[in-house]
Amino acid sequence: LTEPELHEALTLPSTLSTVETVETKAMEYAQKAGFDEDTASQISMVSREAAVNAVLHGNKKDPGKHVRASFNLTPETLTIQVADEGTGFDPTSVPDPLSPEGLLKPSGRGIFLMRAIMDEVNFRQLSPGAEITLVKHRNRE
């Protein structure tokens, strides 16, 4: 018996309530995927971070701009995508939080955590905006 794929796409306002929505949905999907509580919490946390980046850095809380979030669960992977309508950004411009200059910066840890927790983290320029794709592989016996 193969399990059905689950997919959900949301278009949300550039507000902090969007951050909560993305975090809650990510937790829901991580639990449906069968990840343990710690892993599900970590996935939820980095999804929240992606949404914070989209609302604050991408859309700069502009009420005229939206955040798009999608959640896709297949038998192999959980994929979460978060996109904004901002000017876009270059992930290589974010200093390594473990470097001497990065240690003192208040930002830059989100992407570092995403890369540490997820199996794949991909950035894509949109016009306008940027999109981040977070992928976690499901370990099936």
Side-chain angles (χ1 to χ4, degrees), residues 2 5 12 14 21 40 45 48 51 78-79 89 112 123 128-130 133:
T2 61
E5 289 192 17
L12 302 160
S14 292
T21 302
M45 177 191 64
R48 175 188 177 88
L78 169 60
T79 303
F89 94 114
F112 176 80
F123 297 93
T133 302

Side-chain angles (χ1 to χ4, degrees), residues 1-137:
L1 192 80
T2 61
E3 61 182 283
E5 289 192 17
L6 290 173
H7 179 76
E8 196 166 345
L10 308 170
T11 300
L12 302 160
S14 292
T15 62
L16 290 178
S17 67
T18 284
V19 171
E20 305 296 325
T21 302
V22 170
E23 182 179 33
T24 303
K25 275 284 167 212
M27 179 59 101
E28 224 176 87
Y29 272 77
Q31 288 170 335
K32 284 179 188 167
F35 292 114
D36 64 54
E37 196 59 38
D38 283 349
T39 304
S41 292
Q42 291 174 342
I43 291 169
S44 168
M45 177 191 64
V46 296
S47 299
R48 175 188 177 88
E49 189 63 38
V52 165
N53 288 348
V55 170
L56 297 183
H57 303 303
N59 291 347
K60 309 219 181 309
K61 292 202 217 155
D62 178 339
K65 293 181 177 172
H66 292 91
V67 173
R68 287 183 318 284
S70 70
F71 305 85
N72 198 34
L73 184 59
T74 70
E76 293 79 39
T77 58
L78 169 60
T79 303
I80 298 167
Q81 289 181 306
V82 179
D84 62 55
E85 298 174 346
T87 53
F89 94 114
D90 175 6
T92 61
S93 70
V94 178
D96 176 351
L98 301 180
S99 70
E101 58 276 7
L103 284 171
L104 301 173
K105 288 226 161 60
S107 61
R109 288 175 184 75
I111 293 170
F112 176 80
L113 284 172
M114 290 172 200
R115 288 188 169 129
I117 290 166
M118 303 304 280
D119 295 315
E120 295 171 41
V121 177
N122 299 303
F123 297 93
R124 195 165 65 112
Q125 282 303 127
L126 305 173
S127 47
E131 175 186 75
I132 183 166
T133 302
L134 305 168
V135 179
K136 188 75 169 171
H137 298 291

